[in-house]
Amino acid sequence: MVSVDLSLPNWVEEWARGAPDLKVSPPGPKSKEIIAKDRRYVSDAYDRLFQFTMKKASGSAVMDADGNVYLDFSSGISVMNAGWSNPKVIAAIKEQAENLIHSMANDAYFDKEAEFAELLAEISPGRALESSFFGNSGAEGVEAAVKLSRYYTKCSEHIVFMGSYHGRVGNALALSSRVKFKYGHGPFPSGVFFAPYPYCYRCWFRQEYPSCDLLCIDYLRKAILEFGGPSGSLASVIVEPLQGEGGYIAPPKEFMPRLRRICDERRMLLVADEIQCGLGRTGEVWECNSTETVPDILITGKALGGGVPLGAIVAKKDIMNVWRPGSHSSTFGGNGLSMASGMAHVREILEERLAERSRVLGAHAIERLNEMKDHHEIIGDVRGKGLMIGVEMVKNKETKDPLLVPEIQGLMWRKGLLMITSGMYGNVFRIAPPLIISREQLDLGIDLFESAVTETEKRMEAGR
Ligand SMILES: Cc1ncc(COP(=O)(O)O)c(C=O)c1O
């Protein structure tokens, strides 16, 4: 096995190497000024976790308007996989901006769009997905997958999963499971059926893996498909191979192959939403590869654009080919900046073998976090793959009652560690740093996390 260099790349700026480094107690005066203006003029819909402003970023560190430097365990929600301000991505954007920003993908051909689609075909699971459609976000990719799967199968219903998140517009929101996101925005299209995701820590059926033999899949097959309401007009099963917003849940290895089998038997398409878990994050280029599952349509986004808005579907050729010119479209799809930036970012992930690096660092982090779990009553579960790790916080290990975590999160932020949450109860910390993070920085972040956990436990013991 080739060894992996786990130090920071040379291009990471000096100020970012010493993260975290807080100059003033956050939020400082400049940040407060920005936040006040934002509060006045920007919608409150964004769920800002920290009183935190973005000024610049490098590698795995982010600086706020007051010069405070934070260690970043979020990658901007799995976007900056090859590191913030990666020089190859910046160079590609600059060069492209000087030549062509808007490529008129609706009406003209563009070399980089064809080139990027070729690259995605070459790296697709089983090299079986040969045709791409580019849009501007993950949710647009989901919308495209829904439309294509209906167009191809001439069916209109979908199976999705409890805990799923597929985006905030139209069909993507209808396919998502949380009340918080859907509240007040209905009515939603009918024909969406929610199946239990293998959330083994809180098994829907109070079973244990592996003795359960994946009862949740059995339930999908025998209860939902037969008696759960579908009319038989099922177009697709849409699934996150490793659930993101649902709480960084890695399903047992049999899950995806069994879904594939059900789809084949019932003539439904298997759609893998790899928007959050794809592109090296889980230690594989695509999480589908870990079980050798070939979906019919793969949805990608987030890291795909290297920070420039981009989403895409990559599908089997015979499926994509059913769309006629005009069947689907987007003014900015395949635009100059997103193609140049995205291609540079994906190439960097491949050339620097960041999936492998993610696997090695992730295994190390999971080992450390599991040791921590043995010493801390409020750490209920540690799970995930590569650098997509979830740490589920509970009031105590026996009851598994979810612990409210904003306080721990605030403590970490004040220590200079950016860590965001997910999960159906909002109590799962995500460890998802840029994949170029050094082992040293990863350890430092875990130490900061542990100190915040210890402080919280002491306060809980004291009944405060
Ligand atoms: C699995 C998954 N699907 C879809 C989306 C929606 O992507 P976007 O926010 O780019 O529309 C997300 C975003 O978090 C996601 O994690």
Side-chain angles (χ1 to χ4, degrees):
M1 197 174 123
V2 195
S3 72
V4 183
D5 178 7
L6 301 178
S7 57
L8 275 178
N10 294 335
W11 52 261
V12 174
E13 287 186 39
E14 212 44 51
W15 63 263
R17 294 177 174 270
D21 180 13
L22 300 192
K23 314 273 187 227
V24 293
S25 172
K30 288 189 183 140
S31 297
K32 279 187 182 149
E33 216 176 286
I34 294 166
I35 291 165
K37 189 181 281 185
D38 182 288
R39 286 263 168 84
R40 172 134 194 233
Y41 293 110
V42 179
S43 165
D44 278 342
Y46 283 113
D47 197 359
R48 269 74 175 264
L49 291 167
F50 315 102
Q51 299 296 293
F52 168 67
T53 55
M54 297 284 285
K55 175 85 174 171
K56 61 179 183 174
S58 175
S60 43
V62 178
M63 188 188 281
D64 76 9
D66 296 284
N68 286 327
V69 177
Y70 301 83
L71 183 57
D72 172 38
F73 264 22
S74 80
S75 321
I77 321 187
S78 251
V79 170
M80 308 312 299
N81 286 9
W84 294 92
S85 307
N86 184 297
K88 290 200 191 135
V89 176
I90 294 173
I93 292 172
K94 279 186 178 163
E95 193 196 327
Q96 189 59 43
E98 279 164 9
N99 286 300
L100 182 78
I101 293 177
H102 180 45
S103 62
M104 283 189 23
N106 252 320
D107 301 302
Y109 294 94
F110 173 46
D111 59 352
K112 291 207 169 63
E113 186 175 4
E115 230 178 286
F116 200 3
E118 181 185 30
L119 174 64
L120 290 176
E122 278 165 7
I123 63 167
S124 71
R127 292 176 82 113
L129 314 181
E130 286 181 280
S131 183
S132 290
F133 177 92
F134 295 105
N136 307 293
S137 67
E140 269 191 49
V142 173
E143 187 69 31
V146 167
K147 285 177 69 177
L148 181 61
S149 68
R150 288 183 187 172
Y151 202 101
Y152 178 80
T153 59
K154 300 190 173 58
C155 293
S156 59
E157 296 176 335
H158 309 274
I159 302 289
V160 290
F161 291 87
M162 294 171 183
S164 63
Y165 181 78
H166 298 288
R168 300 291 186 103
V169 299
N171 282 309
L173 184 55
L175 304 174
S176 300
S177 78
R178 268 181 78 181
V179 174
K180 178 181 169 189
F181 303 143
K182 294 173 115 163
Y183 177 80
H185 294 122
F188 297 100
S190 60
V192 176
F193 302 93
F194 285 83
Y197 197 79
Y199 183 7
C200 300
Y201 180 63
R202 295 181 190 275
C203 175
W204 304 99
F205 304 101
R206 300 199 183 156
Q207 298 285 308
E208 296 234 336
Y209 175 79
S211 58
C212 65
D213 195 25
L214 266 76
L215 189 56
C216 44
I217 284 279
D218 236 31
Y219 183 81
L220 164 59
R221 186 194 289 278
K222 293 184 185 143
I224 296 183
L225 292 181
E226 299 302 330
F227 304 106
S231 69
S233 172
L234 282 156
S236 55
V237 171
I238 302 175
V239 63
E240 294 163 79
L242 195 155
Q243 212 174 59
E245 301 306 306
Y248 277 31
I249 303 167
K253 60 184 184 316
E254 300 88 342
F255 177 63
M256 288 296 291
R258 286 208 202 167
L259 279 187
R260 178 70 270 179
R261 214 175 307 146
I262 292 176
C263 286
D264 291 342
E265 286 163 14
R266 307 286 296 228
R267 294 173 182 273
M268 297 181 282
L269 299 188
L270 180 63
V271 178
D273 179 344
E274 295 235 15
I275 289 166
Q276 188 156 173
C277 66
L279 292 168
R281 175 64 43 202
T282 65
E284 302 279 350
V285 172
W286 304 111
E287 178 48 23
C288 280
N289 296 354
S290 72
T291 53
E292 291 178 20
T293 304
V294 177
D296 298 295
I297 304 173
L298 179 130
I299 316 171
T300 168
K302 289 196 186 279
L304 184 72
V308 175
L310 180 61
I313 52 170
V314 193
K316 289 180 178 163
K317 186 93 177 141
D318 63 318
I319 295 173
M320 191 70 96
N321 275 356
V322 296
W323 266 350
R324 307 314 320 147
S327 292
H328 193 49
S329 174
S330 164
T331 298
F332 295 116
N335 86 86
L337 287 190
S338 64
M339 293 297 100
S341 167
M343 200 157 27
H345 194 231
V346 172
R347 284 198 175 128
E348 183 76 342
I349 290 168
L350 299 170
E351 281 161 19
E352 296 299 319
R353 304 197 338 264
L354 295 185
E356 202 175 328
R357 183 176 172 128
S358 170
R359 201 178 319 142
V360 174
L361 286 172
H364 169 67
I366 287 177
E367 195 181 319
R368 277 208 59 195
L369 291 161
N370 270 320
E371 277 165 22
M372 259 175 77
K373 186 177 91 170
D374 293 341
H375 297 107
H376 294 279
E377 185 61 22
I378 63 174
I379 298 183
D381 195 29
V382 174
R383 55 181 179 247
K385 292 175 77 179
L387 287 173
M388 188 163 181
I389 302 169
V391 183
E392 179 149 359
M393 309 303 290
V394 292
K395 288 184 182 149
N396 74 59
K397 285 191 165 85
E398 213 163 296
T399 64
K400 296 187 184 175
D401 285 341
L403 180 74
L404 288 174
V405 294
E407 187 191 319
I408 308 179
Q409 198 167 28
L411 277 173
M412 287 190 290
W413 172 59
R414 271 176 236 107
K415 290 172 193 286
L417 177 67
L418 291 184
M419 208 148 131
I420 58 174
T421 53
S422 70
M424 286 175 235
Y425 310 100
N427 64 329
V428 180
F429 281 113
R430 318 185 207 205
I431 297 183
L435 310 182
I436 52 81
I437 194 170
S438 66
R439 183 175 146 141
E440 220 180 343
Q441 284 186 324
L442 185 63
D443 276 330
L444 180 59
I446 294 173
D447 291 343
L448 290 173
F449 173 48
E450 181 158 28
S451 73
V453 167
T454 306
E455 273 178 56
T456 304
E457 278 178 338
K458 281 195 185 135
R459 190 195 47 74
M460 285 168 73
E461 272 162 32
R464 279 181 278 125

